[in-house]
Amino acid sequence: MNLPPTNHHGWPWESSIERKAPLHASDLPRITVVTPSYNQGDFLEQTIRSVLLQDYPNLQYIVVDGGSTDQSHAILDKYNEHLSVVIREPDEGQSDAIAKGLALADGEFFNWINSDDLLMPGTLWELASRCRPKVDLYTFSVEVFGDDVKSYLMHNHNLSATAMLRADRYSFSQPGLWFRTKYIQDCGGIDRNLNYGFDWDLLVRYLADNPNVHYSTSVGARFRLHAESKTVVEFAKQDEAANRFLQESERIRDKLEASLGTSLANASRLGRLRVPWNDWLVEKLDDRDSSPVVAASTIGWRAIKQPHVTFTWRTAGTILRLLSRYVRPKSSIGQRNTPRH
């Protein structure tokens, strides 16, 4: 392994993984990791090292660079001998780059780690040793971090095609999801026509046929928020209509409702009605100037008018949180949790 740049310490510049007992690569499941990248030279080396320093002997690591014009090429040259495949050519965006990597994947397990994110030490070893044959999707928690962000954990929770389509209470963070490669290919793979919600689209299609999920208590990855990340750029827009994640979500539902079975298509139609309701509940929780009792009463009154949409655990939880804010001393009220999917 190449030495890290000077004045860099800790993970992923230095390995903190306890070496496992010597094993031949053929004794371990093959794992494919793809890193799509474009002009992410400020972060790319950290990402590459976080994968290579897993010290996992049966790793296929594919980096797909979309024609970067920054220092990315020098970094790829530096680590070229340690990478299984390096593709350097223009592409149509992140989903296209990941699809190129998936087409070459020969691992039993698959995930992509974006060029501004990191794997945590030991992630691949845990996946290899603890994922049982009946598990279709192995999930880790993910730490969200950034220069101007107080780090917090996102836990993958209640993942099923029905829950996601119905807009029930669930959460997912893609860097913590490990798929079985064959099942991804069988459900149609990455949709190259999508650029913002392709992970949500893939996960719904995947879980529709492969519903068995394992939730690890370990933190498997770090998701970086920075000024140029798509998540930050799109959700910082004042006009929600300009948010390309939200724009694409309608297209995805159109596609899924036409291709999935009747039950899941109906779940999606219900989800279309629930999404604005859920957004309104968040607005009520955010409003610290209004009376929580009045807000809770308003929610309850509106919920009665459309019960098949609004009588949910999320609605009940919102009302309870508002009422607890009313009865508890103001000093005991913590900050609002970051909204999840």
Side-chain angles (χ1 to χ4, degrees):
M1 171 63 67
N2 294 288
L3 293 176
T6 57
N7 301 321
H8 284 75
H9 303 285
W11 183 262
W13 305 111
E14 300 168 327
S15 177
S16 61
I17 294 178
E18 295 182 8
R19 290 183 175 272
K20 307 295 179 179
L23 289 172
H24 193 276
S26 61
D27 297 328
L28 296 165
R30 182 82 157 160
I31 298 176
T32 297
V33 178
V34 172
T35 291
S37 185
Y38 179 71
N39 284 343
Q40 291 284 357
D42 289 342
F43 310 120
L44 177 60
E45 186 170 13
Q46 297 178 55
T47 302
I48 290 175
R49 293 186 68 86
S50 78
V51 177
L52 295 180
L53 287 181
Q54 296 287 313
D55 198 25
Y56 187 77
N58 202 3
L59 169 68
Q60 181 193 30
Y61 189 21
I62 302 170
V63 179
V64 185
D65 184 273
S68 294
T69 57
D70 63 0
Q71 67 269 39
S72 296
H73 289 292
I75 295 170
L76 292 174
D77 289 341
K78 178 179 179 180
Y79 291 94
N80 186 67
E81 65 181 287
H82 302 288
L83 303 174
S84 305
V85 179
V86 178
I87 299 174
R88 307 190 207 198
E89 62 185 22
D91 55 46
E92 297 301 317
Q94 184 183 11
S95 59
D96 186 37
I98 298 167
K100 288 180 179 180
L102 178 60
L104 300 174
D106 61 17
E108 179 180 347
F109 299 103
F110 176 90
N111 196 6
W112 66 94
I113 301 299
N114 293 322
S115 52
D116 46 6
D117 298 334
L118 306 170
L119 283 185
M120 293 297 281
T123 297
L124 299 187
W125 284 100
E126 177 176 332
L127 174 66
S129 61
R130 297 186 183 178
C131 188
R132 302 293 179 254
K134 291 184 179 181
V135 172
D136 301 322
L137 183 73
Y138 194 97
T139 79
F140 294 86
S141 295
V142 174
E143 180 187 7
V144 180
F145 75 109
D147 292 339
D148 299 317
V149 177
K150 183 178 180 180
S151 297
Y152 61 91
L153 290 180
M154 288 192 65
H155 303 287
N156 287 291
H157 169 70
N158 192 32
L159 293 179
S160 72
T162 298
M164 295 177 69
L165 289 167
R166 283 165 51 104
D168 291 341
R169 289 193 71 91
Y170 75 93
S171 61
F172 85 96
S173 184
Q174 172 273 312
L177 306 179
W178 291 88
F179 303 84
R180 292 192 182 270
T181 306
K182 183 180 184 303
Y183 297 168
I184 288 187
Q185 295 165 340
D186 289 347
C187 77
I190 306 290
D191 188 338
R192 298 173 189 249
N193 296 313
L194 303 173
N195 289 304
Y196 294 89
F198 60 87
D199 52 352
W200 192 88
D201 168 69
L202 170 65
L203 189 54
V204 169
R205 288 185 284 111
Y206 185 93
L207 291 172
D209 295 326
N210 310 286
N212 297 318
V213 181
H214 176 82
Y215 300 95
S216 171
T217 58
S218 302
V219 178
R222 302 186 78 202
F223 176 78
R224 188 194 308 266
L225 291 178
H226 58 91
E228 296 179 3
S229 63
K230 291 196 296 187
T231 302
V232 172
V233 170
E234 293 304 315
F235 284 95
K237 293 179 176 177
Q238 296 296 317
D239 182 5
E240 285 193 358
N243 184 318
R244 284 177 283 188
F245 282 99
L246 301 180
Q247 291 174 1
E248 207 168 69
S249 67
E250 294 301 309
R251 288 175 48 206
I252 293 171
R253 285 187 180 273
D254 289 341
K255 182 189 74 166
L256 293 176
E257 288 167 15
S259 61
L260 296 175
T262 301
S263 176
L264 290 178
N266 287 336
S268 179
R269 295 184 185 102
L270 176 58
R272 288 182 189 266
L273 299 175
R274 277 192 177 158
V275 166
W277 171 258
N278 291 341
D279 291 342
W280 182 71
L281 293 178
V282 171
E283 290 178 11
K284 287 298 179 184
L285 279 175
D286 280 344
D287 185 359
R288 294 273 172 164
D289 297 325
S290 300
S291 163
V293 173
V294 172
S297 300
T298 302
I299 291 171
W301 176 250
R302 289 195 181 184
I304 293 173
K305 297 180 179 180
Q306 207 174 14
H308 72 289
V309 174
T310 58
F311 278 13
T312 66
W313 287 111
R314 188 190 299 266
T315 300
T318 301
I319 292 174
L320 288 174
R321 287 176 65 185
L322 286 167
L323 293 179
S324 69
R325 184 188 300 170
Y326 173 73
V327 300
R328 287 158 46 202
K330 200 165 188 178
S331 60
S332 70
I333 301 171
Q335 293 296 316
R336 178 177 67 89
N337 290 330
T338 299
R340 305 288 175 82
H341 291 274

